[in-house]
C-alpha cells in the first residue's frame, strides 16, 4: 500500500496498568502532523489502518476490530489489514493490545491468563474482560457515529475466544465474528445468545488449540441455526494461511459490505 492509503495511529501505556484506555485520546494526541512518540515505550496499545476511501478523508462506514492471541500485541494482526483492505475501501481496521501483560512470556499481552485452563475459570476471566473491551468499542463507535452492527471482530486464538464471547453475549448485535484458531465458550449464566454471522477457520494440524475445538464450536452453533461459515485448513498448524486469509476477507466483505 502507498502512503496515501495507510494511516498508523499508536497509543502507548504503562504495561502495569491492567485496563483499557480511551483510543480517542490517542487519536487526539498523535494525529498532529510530524508528531511521533513511538520510541517512548515498548507498549503499543492502538493501531489503525484505513481503507482507500477513508484514507482520503471520507468517514469510515464500518470497522473491523482485530484481537490478537496470547503473548502478542496490536502490531500483529494489523498486518492483515493491507491485504484485506482493497476489498473493503470504506472499512477502518483497528487492532488493540489486550489489557493485561502476558504472564507466560516476558513480552506481549493477554486477554486473560491461561496458566489455569479450567473452563469454569476461563469463563470467569471472559466475564471480567468483556466490559473492558465493550468500553473501548463504545468510545470508538461514538467517535465515528456508528453502531454495534457496523463493527465486526477478527480474532486469532485467545482473541477469537474473547471475540466470540463478547459478541455472543452483547446487548445489541455486532456485524459478525471472524475467528481463527480459537475456542467457543458458552455461558449458561448469561442471557440469550446474540444472533450474528460467524466464520471460524482452523488448521487441522494445530498443536496449540486442537482442531476438535472447531468441530465442537461448529456443532454448537449449527444446533442454534447460526449464520455460520467454516473452513478447515489441512496440514496447517496454529497459524493463518493464504486460503484462510482469502476466506476471512470474503466473509468480512460480505458482512461489512
Amino acid at each position: 500500500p502507498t502512503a496515501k492509503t495507510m494511516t498508523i495511529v499508536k497509543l502507548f501505556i504503562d504495561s502495569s496498568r491492567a485496563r483499557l484506555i480511551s483510543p480517542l485520546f490517542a487519536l487526539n494526541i498523535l494525529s498532529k502532523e510530524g508528531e511521533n512518540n513511538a520510541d517512548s515505550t515498548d507498549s503499543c496499545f492502538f493501531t489503525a489502518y484505513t481503507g482507500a476511501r477513508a484514507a482520503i478523508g471520507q468517514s469510515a462506514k464500518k470497522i473491523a476490530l482485530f484481537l490478537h492471541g496470547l503473548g502478542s500485541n496490536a502490531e500483529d494482526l494489523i498486518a492483515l489489514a493491507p491485504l484485506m483492505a482493497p476489498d473493503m475501501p470504506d472499512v477502518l481496521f483497528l487492532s488493540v493490545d489486550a489489557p493485561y501483560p502476558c504472564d507466560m512470556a516476558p513480552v506481549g499481552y493477554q486477554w486473560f491468563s491461561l496458566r489455569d485452563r479450567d473452563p469454569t475459570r476461563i469463563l470467569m476471566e471472559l466475564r471480567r474482560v468483556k466490559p473492558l473491551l465493550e468500553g473501548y468499542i463504545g468510545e470508538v463507535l461514538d467517535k465515528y457515529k456508528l453502531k454495534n452492527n457496523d463493527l465486526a471482530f477478527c480474532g486469532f486464538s485467545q482473541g477469537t475466544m474473547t471475540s466470540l464471547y463478547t459478541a455472543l453475549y452483547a446487548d445489541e448485535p455486532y456485524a459478525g465474528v471472524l475467528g481463527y484458531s480459537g475456542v467457543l465458550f458458552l455461558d449458561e449464566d448469561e442471557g440469550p445468545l446474540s444472533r450474528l454471522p460467524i466464520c471460524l477457520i482452523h488448521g487441522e494440524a494445530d498443536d496449540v488449540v486442537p482442531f476438535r475445538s472447531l468441530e465442537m464450536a461448529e456443532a454448537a452453533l449449527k444446533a442454534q441455526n447460526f449464520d455460520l461459515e467454516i473452513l478447515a485448513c489441512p496440514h496447517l498448524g496454529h497459524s493463518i494461511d493464504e486460503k484462510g486469509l482469502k476466506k476471512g476477507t470474503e466473509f468480512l466483505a460480505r458482512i461489512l459490505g
Side-chain angles (χ1 to χ4, degrees), residues 3-26:
K4 292 182 179 179
T5 63
M6 186 162 129
T7 301
I8 299 295
V9 181
K10 297 178 180 178
L11 170 61
F12 298 94
I13 64 172
D14 179 350
S15 62
S16 66
R17 296 164 65 189
R19 63 186 182 92
L20 298 177
I21 297 178
S22 168
L24 308 187
F25 178 69

Side-chain angles (χ1 to χ4, degrees), residues 18 100 111 198 208:
Y100 305 104
W111 298 98
I198 295 174
V208 177

Side-chain angles (χ1 to χ4, degrees), residues 162-175:
T162 305
S163 296
L164 286 169
Y165 188 86
T166 301
L168 285 172
Y169 296 106
D171 293 332
E172 297 180 8
Y174 290 96

Side-chain angles (χ1 to χ4, degrees), residues 194-230:
S194 179
R195 313 299 298 188
L196 75 168
I198 295 174
C199 177
L200 300 178
I201 301 171
H202 211 119
E204 293 182 359
D206 194 329
D207 60 354
V208 177
V209 179
F211 178 72
R212 68 177 179 272
S213 299
L214 175 66
E215 299 171 326
M216 295 170 64
E218 179 180 12
L221 294 170
K222 280 186 174 180
Q224 303 202 43
N225 298 312
F226 270 79
D227 176 353
L228 181 65
E229 297 183 27
I230 296 290

Side-chain angles (χ1 to χ4, degrees), residues 154-167:
C154 177
F156 180 78
S157 193
Q158 192 184 73
T160 293
M161 303 174 203
T162 305
S163 296
L164 286 169
Y165 188 86
T166 301

Side-chain angles (χ1 to χ4, degrees), residues 148-149 151-154 167 174-178 196-198 251-252 255:
N148 276 22
N149 61 10
L151 182 143
F153 294 90
C154 177
Y174 290 96
V177 176
L178 168 61
L196 75 168
I198 295 174
F251 174 76
L252 288 179
I255 65 174

Side-chain angles (χ1 to χ4, degrees), residues 23-24 61-63 94 134-152 172-174:
L24 308 187
K61 297 179 179 179
K62 304 286 183 177
I63 293 174
L94 301 178
E134 287 175 328
Y136 167 80
I137 290 171
E139 293 198 28
V140 171
L141 294 178
D142 286 347
K143 175 177 174 59
Y144 292 99
K145 297 179 173 59
L146 298 174
K147 298 181 179 180
N148 276 22
N149 61 10
D150 296 313
L151 182 143
E172 297 180 8
Y174 290 96

